[in-house]
Amino acid sequence: MKVILLGPPGAGKGTQAQFITEKYGIPQISTGDMLRSAVKAGTELGLKVKDIMASGGLVSDEIIIALVKERIEQADCSNGFLFDGFPRTIPQAQALVDAGVSIEYVIEIAVDDEQIVSRLSGRRVHENSGRVYHIEHNPPKNEGLDNETQEPLIQREDDKEATIRNRLSIYHNQTKPLVEFYTQLSSTDSAGPSFSTIDGLGGLDEVQTRIVTALS
Protein backbone atom coordinates (compact mmCIF):
# COMPACT_ATOMS: atom_id res chain seq x y z
CA MET A 1 0.00 0.00 0.00
CA LYS A 2 1.60 3.25 -1.19
CA VAL A 3 0.02 6.29 0.40
CA ILE A 4 0.35 10.07 0.40
CA LEU A 5 -1.40 11.94 3.21
CA LEU A 6 -2.29 15.59 2.62
CA GLY A 7 -3.80 18.15 4.94
CA PRO A 8 -3.11 21.45 6.67
CA PRO A 9 -1.03 21.74 9.84
CA GLY A 10 -3.20 20.76 12.78
CA ALA A 11 -5.47 18.45 10.77
CA GLY A 12 -4.21 15.39 12.64
CA LYS A 13 -1.96 13.96 9.92
CA GLY A 14 0.66 12.77 12.41
CA THR A 15 -1.83 10.77 14.46
CA GLN A 16 -3.48 9.25 11.39
CA ALA A 17 -0.12 8.50 9.74
CA GLN A 18 0.85 6.47 12.81
CA PHE A 19 -2.48 4.62 12.65
CA ILE A 20 -2.01 3.78 8.94
CA THR A 21 1.59 2.58 9.32
CA GLU A 22 0.69 0.34 12.25
CA LYS A 23 -2.49 -1.07 10.71
CA TYR A 24 -0.97 -1.84 7.30
CA GLY A 25 2.62 -2.61 8.35
CA ILE A 26 4.29 0.03 6.20
CA PRO A 27 7.00 2.57 7.09
CA GLN A 28 6.38 6.30 7.37
CA ILE A 29 8.91 8.13 5.19
CA SER A 30 9.77 11.79 5.62
CA THR A 31 12.26 13.74 3.54
CA GLY A 32 14.11 14.69 6.74
CA ASP A 33 14.51 11.02 7.69
CA MET A 34 15.65 10.17 4.17
CA LEU A 35 18.27 12.90 4.15
CA ARG A 36 19.64 11.88 7.54
CA SER A 37 19.75 8.15 6.74
CA ALA A 38 21.41 8.74 3.35
CA VAL A 39 24.11 10.89 4.96
CA LYS A 40 24.60 8.32 7.74
CA ALA A 41 24.81 5.43 5.24
CA GLY A 42 27.40 7.34 3.21
CA THR A 43 25.76 6.52 -0.13
CA GLU A 44 26.73 8.48 -3.23
CA LEU A 45 23.56 10.55 -2.86
CA GLY A 46 24.15 10.87 0.86
CA LEU A 47 27.58 12.39 0.27
CA LYS A 48 26.09 14.87 -2.21
CA VAL A 49 23.41 15.82 0.31
CA LYS A 50 25.98 16.18 3.10
CA ASP A 51 28.04 18.64 1.05
CA ILE A 52 24.97 20.67 0.07
CA MET A 53 23.68 20.83 3.65
CA ALA A 54 27.14 21.68 5.01
CA SER A 55 27.31 24.67 2.66
CA GLY A 56 23.83 25.80 3.68
CA GLY A 57 22.32 25.08 0.27
CA LEU A 58 18.89 23.67 -0.55
CA VAL A 59 18.66 20.05 -1.67
CA SER A 60 17.17 20.03 -5.18
CA ASP A 61 13.96 18.21 -6.09
CA GLU A 62 16.03 16.05 -8.44
CA ILE A 63 18.14 14.76 -5.54
CA ILE A 64 15.08 14.36 -3.30
CA ILE A 65 13.38 12.19 -5.94
CA ALA A 66 16.55 10.12 -6.34
CA LEU A 67 16.61 9.64 -2.56
CA VAL A 68 12.94 8.60 -2.61
CA LYS A 69 13.66 5.96 -5.26
CA GLU A 70 16.65 4.72 -3.25
CA ARG A 71 14.62 4.61 -0.03
CA ILE A 72 11.57 2.75 -1.36
CA GLU A 73 13.77 -0.04 -2.74
CA GLN A 74 14.69 -1.01 0.83
CA ALA A 75 13.23 -4.20 2.34
CA ASP A 76 10.87 -2.49 4.79
CA CYS A 77 9.00 -0.93 1.85
CA SER A 78 8.11 -4.29 0.30
CA ASN A 79 4.47 -3.86 1.41
CA GLY A 80 4.40 -0.16 0.60
CA PHE A 81 5.05 3.12 2.41
CA LEU A 82 3.45 6.34 3.57
CA PHE A 83 4.98 9.66 2.55
CA ASP A 84 5.00 12.19 5.38
CA GLY A 85 5.21 15.83 4.29
CA PHE A 86 6.15 14.90 0.74
CA PRO A 87 5.51 15.94 -1.93
CA ARG A 88 4.99 19.54 -0.83
CA THR A 89 4.75 21.19 -4.25
CA ILE A 90 3.43 20.50 -7.76
CA PRO A 91 6.96 20.18 -9.23
CA GLN A 92 7.78 17.49 -6.64
CA ALA A 93 4.54 15.64 -7.36
CA GLN A 94 5.15 15.81 -11.11
CA ALA A 95 8.74 14.65 -10.62
CA LEU A 96 7.41 11.58 -8.74
CA VAL A 97 5.18 10.77 -11.71
CA ASP A 98 8.00 11.35 -14.21
CA ALA A 99 10.30 9.09 -12.17
CA GLY A 100 7.74 6.28 -12.33
CA VAL A 101 7.16 6.16 -8.56
CA SER A 102 3.68 4.66 -8.31
CA ILE A 103 1.27 5.84 -5.62
CA GLU A 104 -1.94 3.93 -4.92
CA TYR A 105 -3.81 6.27 -2.59
CA VAL A 106 -3.80 9.99 -1.89
CA ILE A 107 -5.93 11.05 1.06
CA GLU A 108 -6.64 14.64 2.01
CA ILE A 109 -7.68 15.20 5.63
CA ALA A 110 -9.83 18.32 5.36
CA VAL A 111 -10.38 20.66 8.29
CA ASP A 112 -11.62 24.25 8.06
CA ASP A 113 -9.02 26.94 8.85
CA GLU A 114 -11.02 28.40 11.73
CA GLN A 115 -11.38 24.96 13.30
CA ILE A 116 -7.61 24.50 13.08
CA VAL A 117 -6.93 27.92 14.61
CA SER A 118 -9.31 27.06 17.47
CA ARG A 119 -7.84 23.57 17.88
CA LEU A 120 -4.20 24.71 17.99
CA SER A 121 -4.41 28.13 19.62
CA GLY A 122 -6.31 26.64 22.55
CA ARG A 123 -3.46 24.30 23.47
CA ARG A 124 -1.54 24.90 26.68
CA VAL A 125 1.52 22.92 27.75
CA HIS A 126 3.27 22.10 31.01
CA GLU A 127 6.82 22.70 29.88
CA ASN A 128 8.67 20.30 32.20
CA SER A 129 6.46 17.23 31.69
CA GLY A 130 5.05 17.89 28.21
CA ARG A 131 1.46 17.44 29.47
CA VAL A 132 -0.94 19.07 27.02
CA TYR A 133 -4.26 20.74 27.83
CA HIS A 134 -6.84 22.62 25.80
CA ILE A 135 -8.73 25.62 27.14
CA GLU A 136 -12.03 24.25 25.74
CA HIS A 137 -11.71 20.50 25.17
CA ASN A 138 -9.36 19.49 27.98
CA PRO A 139 -9.01 22.39 30.43
CA PRO A 140 -6.88 22.12 33.57
CA LYS A 141 -8.70 22.00 36.94
CA ASN A 142 -7.36 25.46 37.73
CA GLU A 143 -7.13 27.88 34.81
CA GLY A 144 -3.58 28.26 33.51
CA LEU A 145 -2.07 25.75 35.96
CA ASP A 146 -0.86 22.17 35.56
CA ASN A 147 -3.10 19.64 37.36
CA GLU A 148 -0.24 17.83 39.07
CA THR A 149 2.31 20.50 39.94
CA GLN A 150 0.16 23.67 39.86
CA GLU A 151 2.96 25.26 37.82
CA PRO A 152 1.98 27.76 35.09
CA LEU A 153 1.10 26.41 31.64
CA ILE A 154 2.54 28.04 28.55
CA GLN A 155 1.34 28.59 25.00
CA ARG A 156 4.04 27.47 22.58
CA GLU A 157 5.09 29.85 19.81
CA ASP A 158 3.80 27.35 17.21
CA ASP A 159 0.35 27.49 18.84
CA LYS A 160 -0.05 31.26 18.71
CA GLU A 161 -2.77 32.43 16.31
CA ALA A 162 -0.50 34.57 14.11
CA THR A 163 1.95 31.66 13.68
CA ILE A 164 -0.85 29.21 12.86
CA ARG A 165 -2.38 31.54 10.27
CA ASN A 166 1.03 32.02 8.66
CA ARG A 167 1.54 28.24 8.44
CA LEU A 168 -1.95 27.85 6.95
CA SER A 169 -1.20 30.55 4.39
CA ILE A 170 1.98 28.71 3.31
CA TYR A 171 0.01 25.46 3.10
CA HIS A 172 -2.70 26.99 0.91
CA ASN A 173 -0.15 28.60 -1.40
CA GLN A 174 2.28 25.69 -1.75
CA THR A 175 0.64 22.40 -0.84
CA LYS A 176 -3.14 22.77 -1.30
CA PRO A 177 -2.69 22.85 -5.13
CA LEU A 178 -1.62 19.19 -4.81
CA VAL A 179 -5.28 18.37 -4.12
CA GLU A 180 -6.21 19.59 -7.60
CA PHE A 181 -3.14 17.87 -9.11
CA TYR A 182 -4.03 14.46 -7.65
CA THR A 183 -7.75 14.88 -8.31
CA GLN A 184 -6.97 15.43 -11.98
CA LEU A 185 -4.37 12.64 -12.09
CA SER A 186 -6.84 10.24 -10.51
CA SER A 187 -9.50 11.00 -13.13
CA THR A 188 -7.28 11.09 -16.23
CA ASP A 189 -4.62 8.43 -15.63
CA SER A 190 -5.77 4.83 -15.27
CA ALA A 191 -2.52 4.05 -13.44
CA GLY A 192 -2.91 7.10 -11.22
CA PRO A 193 -3.74 6.99 -7.51
CA SER A 194 -7.18 6.83 -5.97
CA PHE A 195 -7.88 10.27 -4.48
CA SER A 196 -10.16 10.84 -1.49
CA THR A 197 -11.00 13.80 0.73
CA ILE A 198 -12.15 12.88 4.21
CA ASP A 199 -13.54 15.03 7.00
CA GLY A 200 -10.92 15.44 9.71
CA LEU A 201 -13.42 16.51 12.38
CA GLY A 202 -14.99 14.13 14.88
CA GLY A 203 -13.69 11.47 17.21
CA LEU A 204 -10.43 9.65 16.52
CA ASP A 205 -12.29 6.39 15.76
CA GLU A 206 -14.60 8.18 13.30
CA VAL A 207 -11.71 9.68 11.33
CA GLN A 208 -9.85 6.35 11.31
CA THR A 209 -12.96 4.58 9.99
CA ARG A 210 -13.15 7.11 7.14
CA ILE A 211 -9.47 6.47 6.32
CA VAL A 212 -9.91 2.68 6.28
CA THR A 213 -12.89 3.13 3.94
CA ALA A 214 -10.82 5.33 1.61
CA LEU A 215 -8.03 2.73 1.58
CA SER A 216 -10.31 -0.22 0.82
Side-chain angles (χ1 to χ4, degrees):
M1 182 168 290
K2 301 166 184 175
V3 185
I4 290 173
L5 209 52
L6 300 175
K13 291 195 305 299
T15 302
Q16 300 307 336
Q18 186 178 356
F19 165 73
I20 292 168
T21 56
E22 288 175 1
K23 180 173 178 61
Y24 297 100
I26 57 176
Q28 183 174 343
I29 299 173
S30 75
T31 49
D33 290 344
M34 279 192 308
L35 291 169
R36 283 186 290 274
S37 63
V39 170
K40 187 177 178 181
T43 64
E44 186 180 343
L45 281 169
L47 294 173
K48 273 189 188 177
V49 168
K50 186 177 182 180
D51 290 342
I52 292 167
M53 290 166 74
S55 66
L58 287 174
V59 179
S60 69
D61 286 351
E62 183 183 4
I63 290 178
I64 292 287
I65 297 299
L67 279 171
V68 166
K69 293 182 77 173
E70 187 176 79
R71 175 66 183 88
I72 63 178
E73 286 170 4
Q74 293 177 18
D76 64 336
C77 294
S78 58
N79 293 325
F81 49 81
L82 182 144
F83 281 140
D84 170 23
F86 178 83
R88 289 186 186 274
T89 63
I90 298 285
Q92 287 181 348
Q94 185 60 56
L96 270 184
V97 174
D98 294 343
V101 177
S102 68
I103 302 295
E104 293 172 274
Y105 299 96
V106 179
I107 297 178
E108 178 197 21
I109 301 177
V111 180
D112 178 75
D113 279 10
E114 295 310 311
Q115 291 278 357
I116 286 173
V117 171
S118 170
R119 182 186 282 185
L120 296 185
S121 65
R123 288 199 297 210
R124 299 293 183 272
V125 179
H126 179 243
E127 203 166 11
N128 289 334
S129 69
R131 280 186 287 275
V132 179
Y133 300 85
H134 193 281
I135 56 176
E136 290 179 28
H137 309 304
N138 179 34
K141 292 170 187 171
N142 297 310
E143 186 177 345
L145 300 176
D146 178 55
N147 285 350
E148 294 189 26
T149 65
Q150 295 302 298
E151 291 172 345
L153 301 174
I154 64 161
Q155 183 183 35
R156 291 183 300 207
E157 196 62 40
D158 275 1
D159 292 338
K160 291 183 177 174
E161 183 171 343
T163 306
I164 297 162
R165 291 196 183 279
N166 184 51
R167 289 169 66 202
L168 285 169
S169 174
I170 292 168
Y171 171 77
H172 287 303
N173 289 332
Q174 291 186 0
T175 310
K176 181 71 174 175
L178 288 172
V179 171
E180 186 176 339
F181 177 89
Y182 282 114
T183 302
Q184 190 171 358
L185 189 64
S186 176
S187 61
T188 58
D189 185 348
S190 59
S194 163
F195 178 83
S196 309
T197 295
I198 66 159
D199 184 357
L201 293 179
L204 195 58
D205 289 349
E206 292 175 88
V207 179
Q208 288 175 350
T209 298
R210 291 172 199 146
I211 285 177
V212 171
T213 301
L215 292 173
S216 58

